[in-house]
Amino acid sequence: MTKKQDFRTILNKVINTEDESHNTSSNDSFDQVMARARLGRRGFLKGSSSLAAAAMLGTSLAFVADSAKQTGKTAQAATNLRLSFNPVAKSIADTLTVPEGYTARVLLATGDPLKSNVTPYKNDGTDNDFEVRAGDHHDAMHYFGMNRAGNGWDASGSDRALLAINHEVCEDLGFVHPNGPTNYGSESTEARPAIEIDKEVAAHGVTIVEVVKQGSTYQINRDSRYNRRVTATTPCQISGPARRSPLLATAFSPSGERTRGTLNNCANGYTPWGTYLTCEENWAGYFNRREDDAVRTAQEVAAFKRYGIGNETSGRYNWSRADAAGNTDLYQRWDVSKTGSRPQQDFRNAANTFGWVVEIDPFNASATPQKRTAIGRFAHEGCWPAAAVAGQPLVFYSGDDARNEYTYKFVSAARWDPRDANRGMAAGDKYLDAGTLYAAKFNDDGTGEWLPLTLDNPAIANYADYAFADQADVLINARIAADAAGATKMDRPEWGGVNPVNGDVYLTLTNNVSSSSGRGVKTPLNAANPRYYADAKGETINKGNVNGHVIRWREAEGNHAATSFNWDVYLFGAKASAEADVNLSGLTDENDFSSPDGLWFSEAVPGLLWVQTDDGYYTDTTNCMMLAALPGTVGDGEAKMVTNKAVPINSDADQQVKTYMGQAASPTVLSRFLVGPRDCEITGITESPDGTVIFVNVQHPGENSGSATDPTQFTSHWPDGGNARPRSATVVITRNDGGKIAI
Ligand code: FEO
Ligand code: CA
Ligand code: CA
């Protein structure tokens, strides 16, 4: 085994805990699937026209007509849009490519100073002050326009703005350290230098930074009083129904009202009152809990298991095991073992204070970030708002990004009053602390239901596998509540968004691959997750839904607070060269992609959708990318019988699954706009109010490098070039003629 393989093996052990399946619930049983397969074979009309197909959907025919009625006016607006750029070719070059006639420039990379008195980042691991530098692994972000007075939010503000940027993790390779990380990985039992832990903790979280319009583009204003970091140590309040729950009591906050830090800030959301919602995704692997089951209650053990905090983990980064310099509870808090006689004496509950949506006011550094517990706790991918309508509840959609996890939505108890648009965090208290959390059930007939996660739901109140103490327990253990309610296991829900043109809700399902628990391997296929595709890559066969898909739905009567919906699959990722039962959307060289992850609807150009990839299955042909799309509407395609070859769950027999699809994706409505440098993912996008500038994040270029210090083993040197260590970065993209992006 070469040194390089050895290094990657260790890291892979660390990383692979992240998107593991911890869903052992019986939702979607094998019997149900067999019944479904039989029904499907009997019921499907081959070569049906879309009208006949719609008729087969029963309720859906009326629905299609209904959609056309609802979207009559706005669909017209959407069809007036045209993608005006030439598609970017697939590439494995170590460079970022945008279409001819566009310019991309690096705006803010890992370690770049946020203040004018901070020295330039040396990028050799010797800078230790991430509290005043951009964090690592840039992820979701949002543009908050500034008012003319320069003291608050104005969505249309274009001269000055604050960018809120998530920093999901700190590079596993340890590029931020002089010689890579010391005693890293769950196999290690040695202490880690506190100085390394401090740096990693500070590289997580959120950056708030001011950008100023200069000519047709934006520059960082390093003198702005708004520039700051929120990190994995920043004090946060816990708000909403779980505040003061005994399950949140720690030595830091015996009453369960506070915690320190936000972690794994992946996707995001934003509110109609100008605050930022950062979401805590893969936090479970940070906590240490060794040989602790015997002294924990059955409830605690069940909750730990369901959230992936095993009895053998030392935590991805070993943050709890600092050397003598780190002998304080700032480090000990990452150890969730029971060491005291009461929860108020240790950090046994610390993991319950992560996995939330965290509200931050970008314009008010003195406002404490609030963990909004009413929106539930899971690997919280994002929190995407439906349009706020006066007099109606506010609605936010979320995904839980792990294999076989669920889709959620939160409906506020309070009804939207536009006068709250300037109330900052006080509006958050009003709308985000009380409401109903739902999990989605995608039925095989193209309909769906939202299942309330409350103790009023008998399936939850009477759940045999876990006795919920109260609504706080339901929200803290939302995954278990969704198991009880009967939600549908999905192929790793990543980003979502609401089409401003017609209210359709989109959600990327990035992939579901595992030789032991992936889709079609142990988890049955279903209409909403209908594809199994074994893909040979290198020496291994990847089993499951390898290339992912994008599902979408329309809420009943266009009402986002409704409890039923109709869905179809907007797009299936695939190689253009794949056979028809794999390349179901008819992708071509201009738009083929794999593993959709980021997804965002432009607000400046209603109807324009961006799709970003985080892929490991097509990377022999192309680096990750971003595509521009002009989607139609739910129900604009037809029913489709998918033949899946040699499905393991079905004894390696072929299995047919009926699904519902949107229209095929010709290059006129889906086209590749950007290809990133090597071993990156493209994630996070926002725009100027006039749509002439977009900001895009490039995360972890060179993540498959064989060394953190030997440049000959780096797979990327982006963005600095030469022998430089690779860095994540925000890129600003403009069109050379000053026009709107993409159209
Ligand atoms: Fe952090 Fe689900 O991507
Ligand atoms: Ca992601
Ligand atoms: Ca991803």
Side-chain angles (χ1 to χ4, degrees), residues 139 168 266-267 281-282 381 401 492-495 597 614 681:
D139 210 312
E168 185 178 20
C266 188
E281 189 201 24
N282 277 312
E381 180 67 39
D401 181 10
R492 287 187 58 197
E494 288 263 12
W495 289 47
D597 185 332
D614 172 17
E681 74 176 87

Side-chain angles (χ1 to χ4, degrees), residues 438-460:
Y438 297 87
K441 181 163 192 275
F442 292 81
N443 297 321
D444 286 344
D445 64 356
T447 65
E449 297 155 60
W450 289 107
L451 311 167
L453 304 184
T454 69
L455 288 169
D456 294 336
N457 181 341
I460 294 173

Side-chain angles (χ1 to χ4, degrees), residues 105-125 127-138 163 165 167 175-176 199 202-203 206-211 219-223 227-229 697-698 718-720 724-732:
R105 180 171 55 82
V106 172
L107 185 70
L108 188 75
T110 295
D112 280 350
L114 297 178
K115 301 281 181 188
S116 44
N117 62 357
V118 175
T119 55
Y121 189 55
K122 293 194 279 297
N123 198 18
D124 60 4
D127 289 304
N128 293 327
D129 48 354
F130 268 84
E131 296 81 2
V132 287
R133 298 180 182 277
D136 202 4
H137 274 229
H138 299 42
L163 287 183
I165 305 170
H167 299 288
F175 285 124
V176 299
K199 201 190 304 194
V206 177
T207 289
I208 310 287
V209 66
E210 184 179 327
V211 291
Q219 305 284 352
I220 301 288
N221 174 13
R222 291 200 159 79
D223 295 317
N227 296 356
R228 65 181 164 118
R229 289 293 317 286
N697 279 331
V698 176
W718 192 87
D720 304 305
R725 297 178 178 194
R727 297 192 282 164
S728 298
T730 301
V731 171
V732 58

